[in-house]
Amino acid sequence: MTHQYPAFTAEQKKELQDIAQRIVAPGKGILAADESTGSMAKRLNPIGVENTEENRRLYRQILFSADERIDKCIGGVIFFHETLYQKADDGTPFAEMIKDRGIVVGIKVDKGVVPLAGTNGETTTQGLDGLSERCAQYKKDGADFAKWRSVLKISETTPSELAIMENANVLARYASICQQNGIVPIVEPEILPDGDHDLKRCQYVSEKVLAACYKALSDHHVYLEGTLLKPNMVTAGHSCPTKYSSEEIAMATVTALRRTVPPAVTGVTFLSGGQSEEDASINLSAINNCPLTKPWALTFSYGRALQASALNAWRGDKENEKAATEQFIKRAESSPSPKWAESDSSPSPTTYYCLSVS
Ligand code: 13P
């Protein structure tokens, strides 16, 4: 086997690791505000708001104008392309507003999923064409990290070997391109919670998917210290008749991560994946309290679990804007970071010892 040719200078590595560490500094997580235009329709239509560019701007302004209380709990914000170039009412670009308060600006760079022919409804994610040029431009425009979402499904026949390998490889190629442009990649292999599978099956699939991702990242010479992982928590499928405790979810999640994610990875920032705001907070707290050695920061990169109450409070009405911002601040403050997890209100670690590691 050949040796590795130099991919990064010491300065490049330091910059990447510093960015990753700032995003997941103690007490901090990520606000995923990178819903595509199509996904914004799914958020705005139920509250009776038309999905226009101006309404999307007004809504993002509600989130980004939160006061200094969020500076302690939000380390990064992921933007969608359109939002990165939008401005607040007073003319300040959103990206500048976020950056000026010490929060790292991120950008969604994938272009969505497309079918993998010959599979049972599986997908790969597109967006590699021109990615290096787009990353270079985003870096100039203030972004220091990026996100790329791959999607895998659990059923009797999925995920297939093809879907696992293809998505691992495309995530690794994306991560490599980001790092060459000074951008920290968030690697997001999301395993959907649809289905009636139990916790064990989700843990098994998560281990196989994550193991494939880290093999591909190694093959592509990605600098792990300058990356973040954005996985699903290991949960049973939505239609599973068995309900599991947050301690069981935490044990399955941390076990899967310990078996597959190298300690060199700077942080694990979970997606909320349709969990309620409360469940997402309780489960993340349990994960941080799980009494197994955890060599990475374990925090949140939530979309829906940070925004659902804010959207409901707003409903498109100017008079509700302040109340909506307060709802967002409340969620951000109660999303448990490692600091929160050490508080007296955390569940006792002894709760976990009766759980066997499968
Ligand atoms: P949810 O937390 O709503 O799952 O969204 C996070 C995200 O960015 C998915 O790509």
Side-chain angles (χ1 to χ4, degrees):
M1 185 185 283
T2 182
H3 56 81
Q4 179 184 342
Y5 293 89
F8 303 102
T9 62
E11 291 72 31
Q12 283 176 308
K13 285 186 183 173
K14 182 174 182 323
E15 185 194 7
L16 291 167
Q17 186 167 13
D18 284 352
I19 295 167
Q21 283 174 342
R22 277 179 57 213
I23 298 168
V24 298
K28 295 186 182 178
I30 298 173
L31 165 64
D34 61 316
E35 295 86 356
S36 62
T37 306
S39 296
M40 276 312 286
K42 292 189 214 147
R43 305 288 177 268
L44 297 180
N45 291 347
I47 57 162
V49 176
E50 205 190 330
N51 186 21
T52 62
E53 185 174 345
E54 176 59 4
N55 283 339
R56 292 191 293 273
R57 188 191 72 81
L58 285 171
Y59 174 61
R60 261 62 184 253
Q61 180 168 262
I62 286 171
L63 303 176
F64 301 159
S65 59
D67 63 26
E68 67 288 345
R69 281 172 288 169
I70 64 157
D71 300 355
K72 294 193 295 293
C73 42
I74 300 291
V77 174
I78 316 175
F79 285 66
F80 184 62
H81 178 88
E82 173 187 274
T83 323
L84 192 70
Y85 300 101
Q86 283 179 325
K87 295 175 179 162
D89 289 347
D90 69 2
T92 315
F94 283 150
E96 197 179 305
M97 251 168 102
I98 293 296
K99 219 175 163 124
D100 281 356
R101 53 202 299 180
I103 299 175
V104 187
V105 171
I107 179 79
K108 172 187 172 75
V109 296
D110 70 70
K111 298 209 165 197
V113 298
V114 286
L116 271 178
T119 65
N120 183 12
E122 297 187 283
T123 58
T124 185
T125 299
Q126 57 188 355
L128 289 180
D129 287 352
L131 180 59
S132 187
E133 293 75 14
R134 289 194 288 130
C135 282
Q137 189 61 48
Y138 286 140
K139 180 84 183 176
K140 279 191 200 139
D141 297 338
D144 287 311
F145 73 103
K147 165 187 138 170
W148 176 291
R149 175 173 176 259
S150 277
V151 182
L152 295 128
K153 298 175 186 178
I154 301 183
S155 70
E156 286 300 317
T157 55
T158 63
S160 64
E161 194 63 21
L162 172 66
I164 292 175
M165 299 313 287
E166 159 62 20
N167 282 293
N169 196 65
V170 83
L171 278 165
R173 181 77 190 111
Y174 138 81
S176 166
I177 294 169
C178 284
Q179 290 193 328
Q180 290 301 317
N181 287 284
I183 288 196
V184 164
I186 294 190
V187 174
E188 181 178 354
E190 175 173 7
I191 300 167
L192 294 179
D194 303 332
D196 61 2
H197 52 273
D198 65 10
L199 190 65
K200 254 194 160 131
R201 171 105 175 110
C202 184
Q203 183 184 324
Y204 177 80
V205 171
S206 297
E207 289 177 11
K208 295 301 168 205
V209 166
L210 291 171
C213 283
Y214 283 99
K215 170 69 167 82
L217 289 163
S218 171
D219 289 346
H220 283 259
H221 309 117
V222 171
Y223 175 59
L224 293 183
E225 290 82 346
T227 65
L228 298 171
L229 172 68
K230 177 162 173 165
N232 49 287
M233 294 179 193
V234 174
T235 59
H238 283 327
S239 322
C240 176
T242 312
K243 297 294 162 223
Y244 296 88
S245 68
S246 57
E247 287 83 11
E248 288 173 306
I249 287 169
M251 186 57 92
T253 301
V254 176
T255 299
L257 294 174
R258 277 165 49 88
R259 289 176 176 171
T260 54
V261 182
V265 172
T266 294
V268 177
T269 64
F270 294 98
L271 57 94
S272 59
Q275 296 181 64
S276 70
E277 292 171 320
E278 189 145 82
D279 282 353
S281 292
I282 290 170
N283 289 336
L284 181 55
S285 171
I287 285 169
N288 272 299
N289 282 293
C290 179
L292 295 171
T293 305
K294 303 173 288 285
W296 341 261
L298 292 164
T299 184
F300 58 89
S301 176
Y302 294 162
R304 285 162 286 181
L306 281 179
Q307 298 182 50
S309 295
L311 275 164
N312 272 323
W314 178 45
R315 304 200 154 267
D317 191 335
K318 185 147 191 54
E319 284 191 359
N320 295 336
E321 285 176 358
K322 276 214 158 63
T325 303
E326 280 304 310
Q327 288 298 324
F328 163 58
I329 295 170
K330 195 172 138 202
R331 281 326 312 166
E333 287 186 323
S334 54
S335 293
S337 59
K339 204 171 63 193
W340 188 94
E342 284 158 16
S343 78
D344 291 344
S345 55
S346 310
S348 154
T350 51
T351 332
Y352 295 85
Y353 289 122
C354 55
L355 302 173
S356 61
V357 174
S358 54

